[in-house]
Amino acid sequence: MTVSPRTPPGVLELLPREQIAHQRMLDTIRRGFERFGFVPVETPVFELTNVLLTKSGGETEKQVYFVQSTGSLGKGLADGEKPELALRFDLTVPLARYVAEHEHDLNFPFRRYQIQRVYRGERAQKGRYREFYQCDIDVIGKDTLSLAYDAEMPAVIHGIFQELGIGKFTIKINNRKLLRGLLESLGIAVEQHAAVLHEVDRLGKLSRDEVSQRLAPLGAAGVLDKLDGGFDALAGHVETAGNAALTEGYRELGEVRAGLRALGVPEDDVRVDLSIARGLDYYTGTVYETFLDAHPELGSICSGGRYENLAGHYTKSKLPGVGISIGATRLFSKLLELKLLGAEQASTAHVMVLQVEAELAPSYSQIATELRTAGLNVELYASADKLAKQLKYADRAGVPLAILYGSRERDAGIVKVKDLRPNAEPREHDVPRADLVERVRSLVHTR
Amino acid sequence: MTVSPRTPPGVLELLPREQIAHQRMLDTIRRGFERFGFVPVETPVFELTNVLLTKSGGETEKQVYFVQSTGSLGKGLADGEKPELALRFDLTVPLARYVAEHEHDLNFPFRRYQIQRVYRGERAQKGRYREFYQCDIDVIGKDTLSLAYDAEMPAVIHGIFQELGIGKFTIKINNRKLLRGLLESLGIAVEQHAAVLHEVDRLGKLSRDEVSQRLAPLGAAGVLDKLDGGFDALAGHVETAGNAALTEGYRELGEVRAGLRALGVPEDDVRVDLSIARGLDYYTGTVYETFLDAHPELGSICSGGRYENLAGHYTKSKLPGVGISIGATRLFSKLLELKLLGAEQASTAHVMVLQVEAELAPSYSQIATELRTAGLNVELYASADKLAKQLKYADRAGVPLAILYGSRERDAGIVKVKDLRPNAEPREHDVPRADLVERVRSLVHTR
């Protein structure tokens, strides 16, 4: 009696070929984070429920996964009682808990990156995951935090997306204070702000006319004109009709723009877009969204912003911060679907040493060890299968080079190196035994 | 009202300094795995309960964590019913499920590595974790698997532990068939084998005499003499008293030893030790345990072995395999405690650019970008704090170099590079602005 082997719905489990590509993507992201001196943090997959769910009720709690050991399962729960542990649903709440818990051991401004999976008990549906990677960076200040860090966020992401080579993208930045102040300056009541911004947010999906029609009944028909004009055109309005929020937001956004310029980020790739609103509650200043120019239908692939106080639920210290997050699992699966990410290699090896004659097995081990010592990744095919089967295996794995060494080669003092890469020319190299390491190294690195 | 920010008991959460060291350890392990051409696999943190718990009852199930979404929590469970999802408690069951599920898409022999956390609902006590990393490699064959792979396992681990620089260690190998056959050849009944091996297993903790006394009532007083003699001394006994299991086990172990020699693994570091038994049920041939010579009290820090059939619960295919596993969290915390692993750097940056004069902020951004473009990790200190505070921050972070550039330096066309590493000599370098990248690069790499 066997059990059908299957994964739960709503997870992305990859075959080696895709897993290698996925790991390459995470490596690139991590390298990009470290290039700017962010330090790694990992938190446990579960938190104490009462620590994780400080905000009562709401959408989040409906999606939380609770964790129970066998023992506590037996005991049952009183009505309304929750299990002691719950899986993290994002990396922001764990960061808040981490910073508050370790506040006195951390170096502020605290710059952490975190690349871990998060969990949401969503209804399984295409493109929605119950388990997915988030890759977050945040800079947390104590009491204050310079606006220069707001400029750094898109610079980090710009470097990463460039290195990933996923085509032209645009990081759009805006400022929530500016938006609030602008609506206020146009006489729109505070109670209407959420509804107005919600409509503005549809600009990617609906036409400008449609959005304009939806804004009219809210008394906000004039908003789009102001937003369309862009940052520079707004100067006059700020001058004449500026309230405190508009003036401050405008100044902040200008400063962030100048910071980006100083960091050498191309203005065409990271742009002010006054129509970016990015939710309402959490972010209080700069906000970011990122789009693939050729695929706006994906929505924002990397978002974030500035917040006033990270950990008010856990500490009385004021901890302002700014952060940005890549939803790596969804991004990965989309990029793969669009063939914007390659997944050619099903192997981590540069070279495969084949078993031409079983009696020469010790030589194959020696050759493999020599190449490994030189820093190459080498797979030793250790079963005495037919050579055709071995070559098929090497080919399926996408290994660049195969090494064939039989008694004929041994007697001639050479090693045959087969280049398995498509369009390799020449396909075979007879390499003197003593030159093997050097030649293999140069073959690996020349393409 | 704030909630006390704390992690659940039984998890290891690290400060950045230790997290960086931990990550370096995992990186070394991963690089070691890839050096031998193992391919990465990641599985979801939870599995379907009925897939995970194919063996009914037992110790394992008592330690399983079950996962429930808010919705299913409300519904309650019938008596004896289990939640639909459970957290993985090791990487072997997920591997079995993965290989069975994806059997037709995998390339056999399938060589995978997996570095992920696993979960056990243990009573929290010192040194026992509810969440910990395992780093596993396995080679899975279809129907058969060459013994050469049994020799590869310790070779991989040897390379990794050498690179970790954790002092002298010994990987001990043995063979379960040989042990079984040996006990049989000494007239010990099969029903006694488990008890005898259990006593033999105490050899590290009890003296030889004590173990000998415990073996006598089991009619196994002669066992230790045979084990003590070691592999070569056993040849005569195999010749004269050999049964099928003993003969085969002896041949296998000899073959593995020869394989290790061909791979160039020092015989002093990877040794046959006939007293290693490694549990009873799962492993059927070669077994491994690894000890730090100076710290036998830690017990085995890396263990594994050969098994007959990986995924009998999920598929009718016969999938023999061999694998080995590093319990990275426990190992890491022990190494740190024993100061065998350093945790000096609380930063990923090679260089920190300080803010000497706020008006020069754009220049600091430019310098940082220049250095990053050259492949260096650079942190930009963006707050206009007092220089002393900035230097203290850089010092606490353990950043090797700090860059100071004020109007005095600007006018002189130089940049001041401060070497913050202990015993650096000289401590300060006045570097012409144009040579900055080259000089910083060489300073970073010379130590």
Side-chain angles (χ1 to χ4, degrees), chain B residues 246-297:
Chain B
L246 178 54
T247 307
E248 191 175 337
Y250 192 76
R251 180 189 59 77
E252 286 185 6
L253 193 51
E255 211 172 298
V256 171
R257 211 165 63 138
L260 279 160
R261 210 171 290 144
L263 285 166
V265 180
E267 291 186 48
D268 189 44
D269 297 348
V270 184
R271 272 213 300 275
V272 169
D273 182 331
L274 299 180
S275 73
I276 295 295
R278 192 82 221 130
L280 256 176
D281 289 353
Y282 190 59
Y283 297 115
T284 51
T286 312
V287 286
Y288 317 99
E289 294 197 342
T290 310
F291 301 88
L292 290 184
D293 290 13
H295 299 282
E297 75 278 6

Short mmCIF file of all heavy atoms in Angstrom, two decimals, chain B residues 246-297:
data_model
loop_
_atom_site.label_atom_id
_atom_site.label_comp_id
_atom_site.label_asym_id
_atom_site.label_seq_id
_atom_site.Cartn_x
_atom_site.Cartn_y
_atom_site.Cartn_z
N LEU B 246 28.64 -11.15 6.58
CA LEU B 246 29.98 -10.71 6.97
C LEU B 246 30.87 -10.56 5.74
O LEU B 246 31.58 -9.55 5.59
CB LEU B 246 30.59 -11.72 7.96
CG LEU B 246 32.02 -11.42 8.44
CD1 LEU B 246 32.15 -10.03 9.02
CD2 LEU B 246 32.46 -12.46 9.46
N THR B 247 30.83 -11.55 4.88
CA THR B 247 31.67 -11.50 3.69
C THR B 247 31.32 -10.30 2.81
O THR B 247 32.20 -9.55 2.37
CB THR B 247 31.51 -12.81 2.88
OG1 THR B 247 31.75 -13.91 3.78
CG2 THR B 247 32.49 -12.86 1.73
N GLU B 248 30.03 -10.11 2.61
CA GLU B 248 29.61 -9.00 1.75
C GLU B 248 29.93 -7.65 2.40
O GLU B 248 30.43 -6.74 1.74
CB GLU B 248 28.11 -9.10 1.46
CG GLU B 248 27.67 -8.15 0.36
CD GLU B 248 26.20 -8.33 -0.02
OE1 GLU B 248 25.66 -9.42 0.22
OE2 GLU B 248 25.61 -7.36 -0.54
N GLY B 249 29.64 -7.55 3.67
CA GLY B 249 29.93 -6.31 4.37
C GLY B 249 31.41 -5.98 4.36
O GLY B 249 31.82 -4.83 4.18
N TYR B 250 32.21 -7.01 4.53
CA TYR B 250 33.66 -6.80 4.54
C TYR B 250 34.15 -6.34 3.17
O TYR B 250 34.96 -5.41 3.06
CB TYR B 250 34.35 -8.11 4.94
CG TYR B 250 35.81 -7.94 5.27
CD1 TYR B 250 36.22 -7.37 6.48
CD2 TYR B 250 36.80 -8.34 4.36
CE1 TYR B 250 37.57 -7.20 6.77
CE2 TYR B 250 38.15 -8.17 4.64
CZ TYR B 250 38.52 -7.60 5.85
OH TYR B 250 39.85 -7.43 6.15
N ARG B 251 33.59 -6.97 2.13
CA ARG B 251 33.98 -6.58 0.77
C ARG B 251 33.55 -5.13 0.50
O ARG B 251 34.32 -4.31 0.00
CB ARG B 251 33.31 -7.51 -0.25
CG ARG B 251 33.66 -7.17 -1.71
CD ARG B 251 32.81 -7.95 -2.70
NE ARG B 251 31.38 -7.73 -2.57
CZ ARG B 251 30.74 -6.64 -3.00
NH1 ARG B 251 31.39 -5.65 -3.57
NH2 ARG B 251 29.42 -6.52 -2.83
N GLU B 252 32.33 -4.80 0.90
CA GLU B 252 31.83 -3.44 0.67
C GLU B 252 32.69 -2.40 1.37
O GLU B 252 33.08 -1.39 0.78
CB GLU B 252 30.38 -3.31 1.17
CG GLU B 252 29.35 -3.99 0.28
CD GLU B 252 27.91 -3.74 0.74
OE1 GLU B 252 27.71 -2.95 1.69
OE2 GLU B 252 27.01 -4.33 0.15
N LEU B 253 32.98 -2.67 2.61
CA LEU B 253 33.76 -1.70 3.38
C LEU B 253 35.14 -1.53 2.78
O LEU B 253 35.68 -0.42 2.70
CB LEU B 253 33.83 -2.15 4.85
CG LEU B 253 34.33 -1.13 5.86
CD1 LEU B 253 33.61 0.20 5.76
CD2 LEU B 253 34.19 -1.69 7.29
N GLY B 254 35.73 -2.65 2.32
CA GLY B 254 37.03 -2.59 1.66
C GLY B 254 36.96 -1.75 0.40
O GLY B 254 37.85 -0.93 0.11
N GLU B 255 35.87 -1.90 -0.31
CA GLU B 255 35.72 -1.17 -1.57
C GLU B 255 35.56 0.34 -1.30
O GLU B 255 36.13 1.17 -2.00
CB GLU B 255 34.49 -1.70 -2.31
CG GLU B 255 34.62 -1.61 -3.82
CD GLU B 255 33.46 -2.32 -4.53
OE1 GLU B 255 33.32 -3.55 -4.36
OE2 GLU B 255 32.71 -1.64 -5.22
N VAL B 256 34.80 0.65 -0.26
CA VAL B 256 34.62 2.06 0.10
C VAL B 256 35.96 2.67 0.52
O VAL B 256 36.31 3.79 0.13
CB VAL B 256 33.57 2.21 1.23
CG1 VAL B 256 33.53 3.64 1.75
CG2 VAL B 256 32.19 1.78 0.72
N ARG B 257 36.73 1.89 1.27
CA ARG B 257 38.03 2.38 1.70
C ARG B 257 38.95 2.65 0.50
O ARG B 257 39.65 3.67 0.45
CB ARG B 257 38.68 1.34 2.63
CG ARG B 257 39.57 1.95 3.66
CD ARG B 257 39.88 0.95 4.75
NE ARG B 257 40.60 -0.19 4.25
CZ ARG B 257 41.63 -0.77 4.89
NH1 ARG B 257 42.04 -0.28 6.05
NH2 ARG B 257 42.23 -1.82 4.41
N ALA B 258 38.90 1.73 -0.46
CA ALA B 258 39.72 1.93 -1.67
C ALA B 258 39.24 3.16 -2.44
O ALA B 258 40.04 3.94 -2.96
CB ALA B 258 39.66 0.69 -2.54
N GLY B 259 37.92 3.34 -2.46
CA GLY B 259 37.36 4.49 -3.15
C GLY B 259 37.82 5.79 -2.52
O GLY B 259 38.12 6.77 -3.21
N LEU B 260 37.87 5.82 -1.21
CA LEU B 260 38.32 7.02 -0.49
C LEU B 260 39.77 7.33 -0.80
O LEU B 260 40.16 8.48 -0.97
CB LEU B 260 38.15 6.81 1.02
CG LEU B 260 36.73 7.04 1.50
CD1 LEU B 260 36.50 6.37 2.85
CD2 LEU B 260 36.47 8.54 1.59
N ARG B 261 40.56 6.25 -0.89
CA ARG B 261 41.97 6.44 -1.20
C ARG B 261 42.11 7.06 -2.59
O ARG B 261 42.87 8.01 -2.79
CB ARG B 261 42.68 5.08 -1.11
CG ARG B 261 44.12 5.17 -0.70
CD ARG B 261 44.67 3.77 -0.42
NE ARG B 261 44.10 3.16 0.78
CZ ARG B 261 43.82 1.85 0.92
NH1 ARG B 261 44.05 1.00 -0.07
NH2 ARG B 261 43.32 1.40 2.05
N ALA B 262 41.35 6.54 -3.54
CA ALA B 262 41.43 7.07 -4.92
C ALA B 262 41.02 8.54 -4.96
O ALA B 262 41.52 9.32 -5.76
CB ALA B 262 40.54 6.25 -5.85
N LEU B 263 40.12 8.94 -4.06
CA LEU B 263 39.69 10.34 -4.02
C LEU B 263 40.68 11.22 -3.27
O LEU B 263 40.47 12.43 -3.13
CB LEU B 263 38.30 10.46 -3.38
CG LEU B 263 37.12 10.02 -4.26
CD1 LEU B 263 35.86 9.85 -3.42
CD2 LEU B 263 36.88 11.02 -5.38
N GLY B 264 41.75 10.60 -2.75
CA GLY B 264 42.79 11.38 -2.10
C GLY B 264 42.43 11.86 -0.70
O GLY B 264 43.02 12.81 -0.18
N VAL B 265 41.46 11.20 -0.06
CA VAL B 265 41.08 11.60 1.30
C VAL B 265 42.09 10.98 2.28
O VAL B 265 42.34 9.78 2.24
CB VAL B 265 39.66 11.10 1.63
CG1 VAL B 265 39.26 11.50 3.03
CG2 VAL B 265 38.67 11.63 0.61
N PRO B 266 42.68 11.80 3.17
CA PRO B 266 43.69 11.28 4.09
C PRO B 266 43.13 10.16 4.99
O PRO B 266 42.07 10.33 5.59
CB PRO B 266 44.07 12.50 4.95
CG PRO B 266 43.62 13.68 4.17
CD PRO B 266 42.46 13.24 3.35
N GLU B 267 43.86 9.05 5.08
CA GLU B 267 43.35 7.91 5.84
C GLU B 267 43.26 8.20 7.33
O GLU B 267 42.56 7.52 8.07
CB GLU B 267 44.23 6.68 5.58
CG GLU B 267 44.05 6.20 4.16
CD GLU B 267 44.78 4.89 3.87
OE1 GLU B 267 44.64 3.95 4.66
OE2 GLU B 267 45.48 4.84 2.84
N ASP B 268 44.00 9.19 7.75
CA ASP B 268 43.95 9.53 9.17
C ASP B 268 42.65 10.28 9.52
O ASP B 268 42.20 10.26 10.66
CB ASP B 268 45.16 10.40 9.53
CG ASP B 268 45.26 10.58 11.03
OD1 ASP B 268 45.09 9.57 11.74
OD2 ASP B 268 45.48 11.72 11.47
N ASP B 269 42.06 10.92 8.54
CA ASP B 269 40.86 11.72 8.80
C ASP B 269 39.57 10.93 8.59
O ASP B 269 38.54 11.22 9.20
CB ASP B 269 40.82 12.95 7.89
CG ASP B 269 42.00 13.88 8.14
OD1 ASP B 269 42.69 13.68 9.16
OD2 ASP B 269 42.22 14.78 7.32
N VAL B 270 39.60 9.99 7.66
CA VAL B 270 38.42 9.17 7.40
C VAL B 270 38.84 7.73 7.60
O VAL B 270 39.64 7.20 6.84
CB VAL B 270 37.90 9.38 5.96
CG1 VAL B 270 36.63 8.59 5.75
CG2 VAL B 270 37.65 10.86 5.70
N ARG B 271 38.31 7.12 8.62
CA ARG B 271 38.84 5.82 9.08
C ARG B 271 37.73 4.82 9.31
O ARG B 271 36.65 5.16 9.80
CB ARG B 271 39.48 6.02 10.47
CG ARG B 271 40.91 6.41 10.46
CD ARG B 271 41.64 5.84 11.65
NE ARG B 271 41.11 6.25 12.94
CZ ARG B 271 41.44 7.37 13.58
NH1 ARG B 271 42.26 8.22 13.01
NH2 ARG B 271 40.94 7.62 14.76
N VAL B 272 38.04 3.56 9.01
CA VAL B 272 37.14 2.49 9.41
C VAL B 272 37.15 2.39 10.93
O VAL B 272 38.21 2.44 11.57
CB VAL B 272 37.59 1.15 8.79
CG1 VAL B 272 36.83 -0.02 9.43
CG2 VAL B 272 37.37 1.17 7.28
N ASP B 273 35.97 2.32 11.53
CA ASP B 273 35.87 2.05 12.96
C ASP B 273 34.72 1.06 13.13
O ASP B 273 33.55 1.40 12.98
CB ASP B 273 35.59 3.34 13.73
CG ASP B 273 35.53 3.11 15.25
OD1 ASP B 273 35.14 1.99 15.67
OD2 ASP B 273 35.84 4.05 16.00
N LEU B 274 35.08 -0.16 13.44
CA LEU B 274 34.07 -1.23 13.44
C LEU B 274 33.06 -1.10 14.57
O LEU B 274 32.07 -1.82 14.60
CB LEU B 274 34.77 -2.60 13.52
CG LEU B 274 35.73 -2.90 12.35
CD1 LEU B 274 36.36 -4.28 12.54
CD2 LEU B 274 35.00 -2.85 11.02
N SER B 275 33.28 -0.16 15.48
CA SER B 275 32.35 -0.04 16.60
C SER B 275 31.21 0.96 16.33
O SER B 275 30.34 1.15 17.15
CB SER B 275 33.09 0.37 17.88
OG SER B 275 33.49 1.72 17.79
N ILE B 276 31.26 1.60 15.17
CA ILE B 276 30.18 2.55 14.83
C ILE B 276 28.95 1.75 14.35
O ILE B 276 29.04 0.96 13.41
CB ILE B 276 30.66 3.47 13.68
CG1 ILE B 276 31.80 4.36 14.15
CG2 ILE B 276 29.51 4.32 13.14
CD1 ILE B 276 31.44 5.34 15.22
N ALA B 277 27.82 1.97 15.00
CA ALA B 277 26.64 1.17 14.63
C ALA B 277 25.53 2.01 13.98
O ALA B 277 24.86 1.57 13.06
CB ALA B 277 26.09 0.47 15.85
N ARG B 278 25.34 3.25 14.49
CA ARG B 278 24.38 4.19 13.87
C ARG B 278 22.95 3.66 13.78
O ARG B 278 22.44 3.38 12.71
CB ARG B 278 24.89 4.51 12.46
CG ARG B 278 24.22 5.66 11.76
CD ARG B 278 24.74 6.99 12.13
NE ARG B 278 23.70 7.99 12.28
CZ ARG B 278 23.57 8.79 13.34
NH1 ARG B 278 24.40 8.72 14.33
NH2 ARG B 278 22.61 9.66 13.41
N GLY B 279 22.30 3.51 14.92
CA GLY B 279 20.89 3.10 14.92
C GLY B 279 20.70 1.73 14.32
O GLY B 279 21.67 1.00 14.12
N LEU B 280 19.48 1.37 14.01
CA LEU B 280 19.33 0.00 13.52
C LEU B 280 18.46 -0.17 12.29
O LEU B 280 18.81 -0.92 11.39
CB LEU B 280 18.78 -0.88 14.64
CG LEU B 280 19.82 -1.80 15.29
CD1 LEU B 280 19.22 -2.56 16.42
CD2 LEU B 280 20.39 -2.76 14.25
N ASP B 281 17.35 0.52 12.22
CA ASP B 281 16.34 0.16 11.22
C ASP B 281 16.66 0.59 9.80
O ASP B 281 16.50 -0.15 8.85
CB ASP B 281 15.00 0.80 11.60
CG ASP B 281 14.42 0.13 12.83
OD1 ASP B 281 15.01 -0.87 13.26
OD2 ASP B 281 13.40 0.63 13.34
N TYR B 282 17.10 1.84 9.69
CA TYR B 282 17.07 2.47 8.39
C TYR B 282 18.28 2.10 7.52
O TYR B 282 18.14 1.79 6.35
CB TYR B 282 17.03 3.97 8.63
CG TYR B 282 16.76 4.78 7.41
CD1 TYR B 282 15.59 4.58 6.68
CD2 TYR B 282 17.67 5.74 6.96
CE1 TYR B 282 15.34 5.32 5.54
CE2 TYR B 282 17.42 6.47 5.84
CZ TYR B 282 16.26 6.27 5.13
OH TYR B 282 16.01 7.00 4.01
N TYR B 283 19.47 2.16 8.11
CA TYR B 283 20.68 1.94 7.31
C TYR B 283 20.97 0.46 7.14
O TYR B 283 20.81 -0.32 8.07
CB TYR B 283 21.87 2.65 7.96
CG TYR B 283 21.67 4.15 8.01
CD1 TYR B 283 21.55 4.82 9.22
CD2 TYR B 283 21.58 4.88 6.83
CE1 TYR B 283 21.35 6.18 9.26
CE2 TYR B 283 21.37 6.26 6.87
CZ TYR B 283 21.26 6.89 8.08
OH TYR B 283 21.05 8.24 8.11
N THR B 284 21.40 0.10 5.94
CA THR B 284 21.57 -1.32 5.64
C THR B 284 23.00 -1.67 5.22
O THR B 284 23.33 -2.84 5.10
CB THR B 284 20.63 -1.73 4.50
OG1 THR B 284 20.80 -0.81 3.42
CG2 THR B 284 19.18 -1.68 4.97
N GLY B 285 23.85 -0.70 4.98
CA GLY B 285 25.22 -1.00 4.56
C GLY B 285 26.19 -0.06 5.24
O GLY B 285 26.28 -0.03 6.47
N THR B 286 26.88 0.74 4.44
CA THR B 286 27.83 1.72 4.96
C THR B 286 27.14 2.67 5.96
O THR B 286 26.01 3.07 5.74
CB THR B 286 28.37 2.57 3.80
OG1 THR B 286 28.78 1.71 2.74
CG2 THR B 286 29.55 3.43 4.25
N VAL B 287 27.85 2.98 7.04
CA VAL B 287 27.37 4.02 7.96
C VAL B 287 28.51 4.98 8.29
O VAL B 287 29.68 4.61 8.24
CB VAL B 287 26.79 3.44 9.28
CG1 VAL B 287 25.42 2.81 9.05
CG2 VAL B 287 27.74 2.44 9.92
N TYR B 288 28.14 6.22 8.62
CA TYR B 288 29.13 7.27 8.94
C TYR B 288 28.80 7.97 10.24
O TYR B 288 27.62 8.24 10.52
CB TYR B 288 29.14 8.38 7.87
CG TYR B 288 29.08 7.90 6.46
CD1 TYR B 288 27.87 7.91 5.77
CD2 TYR B 288 30.22 7.46 5.81
CE1 TYR B 288 27.80 7.48 4.46
CE2 TYR B 288 30.15 7.03 4.49
CZ TYR B 288 28.94 7.04 3.82
OH TYR B 288 28.88 6.61 2.53
N GLU B 289 29.83 8.30 10.99
CA GLU B 289 29.70 9.26 12.09
C GLU B 289 30.95 10.12 12.09
O GLU B 289 32.02 9.68 11.68
CB GLU B 289 29.53 8.55 13.43
CG GLU B 289 28.23 7.78 13.54
CD GLU B 289 27.85 7.43 14.97
OE1 GLU B 289 28.74 7.47 15.84
OE2 GLU B 289 26.68 7.11 15.19
N THR B 290 30.82 11.34 12.59
CA THR B 290 31.95 12.27 12.54
C THR B 290 32.15 12.91 13.91
O THR B 290 31.19 13.36 14.53
CB THR B 290 31.67 13.38 11.51
OG1 THR B 290 31.25 12.77 10.28
CG2 THR B 290 32.91 14.21 11.26
N PHE B 291 33.40 12.97 14.34
CA PHE B 291 33.70 13.50 15.67
C PHE B 291 34.81 14.55 15.60
O PHE B 291 35.73 14.42 14.80
CB PHE B 291 34.14 12.37 16.60
CG PHE B 291 33.09 11.32 16.76
CD1 PHE B 291 33.03 10.24 15.88
CD2 PHE B 291 32.14 11.41 17.76
CE1 PHE B 291 32.03 9.27 16.00
CE2 PHE B 291 31.14 10.45 17.90
CZ PHE B 291 31.08 9.38 17.00
N LEU B 292 34.69 15.56 16.44
CA LEU B 292 35.81 16.48 16.63
C LEU B 292 36.76 15.81 17.62
O LEU B 292 36.35 15.46 18.73
CB LEU B 292 35.31 17.81 17.20
CG LEU B 292 34.49 18.69 16.26
CD1 LEU B 292 34.14 20.02 16.95
CD2 LEU B 292 35.25 18.97 14.97
N ASP B 293 38.01 15.65 17.20
CA ASP B 293 38.94 14.87 18.04
C ASP B 293 39.07 15.47 19.43
O ASP B 293 39.14 14.74 20.42
CB ASP B 293 40.33 14.80 17.37
CG ASP B 293 40.29 13.94 16.12
OD1 ASP B 293 39.17 13.61 15.66
OD2 ASP B 293 41.36 13.59 15.59
N ALA B 294 39.09 16.79 19.52
CA ALA B 294 39.28 17.43 20.82
C ALA B 294 37.97 17.55 21.60
O ALA B 294 37.97 17.94 22.76
CB ALA B 294 39.90 18.82 20.63
N HIS B 295 36.86 17.23 20.97
CA HIS B 295 35.56 17.39 21.63
C HIS B 295 34.63 16.21 21.38
O HIS B 295 33.54 16.38 20.80
CB HIS B 295 34.89 18.70 21.19
CG HIS B 295 35.70 19.90 21.54
ND1 HIS B 295 35.72 20.43 22.81
CD2 HIS B 295 36.54 20.65 20.80
CE1 HIS B 295 36.54 21.47 22.82
NE2 HIS B 295 37.04 21.63 21.62
N PRO B 296 35.06 15.03 21.83
CA PRO B 296 34.20 13.86 21.62
C PRO B 296 32.86 14.01 22.34
O PRO B 296 31.87 13.39 21.94
CB PRO B 296 35.02 12.71 22.23
CG PRO B 296 35.98 13.36 23.16
CD PRO B 296 36.28 14.71 22.58
N GLU B 297 32.82 14.87 23.34
CA GLU B 297 31.57 15.03 24.11
C GLU B 297 30.43 15.58 23.26
O GLU B 297 29.26 15.45 23.63
CB GLU B 297 31.81 15.93 25.33
CG GLU B 297 31.96 17.44 25.04
CD GLU B 297 33.35 17.86 24.58
OE1 GLU B 297 34.20 16.95 24.35
OE2 GLU B 297 33.60 19.08 24.41
#
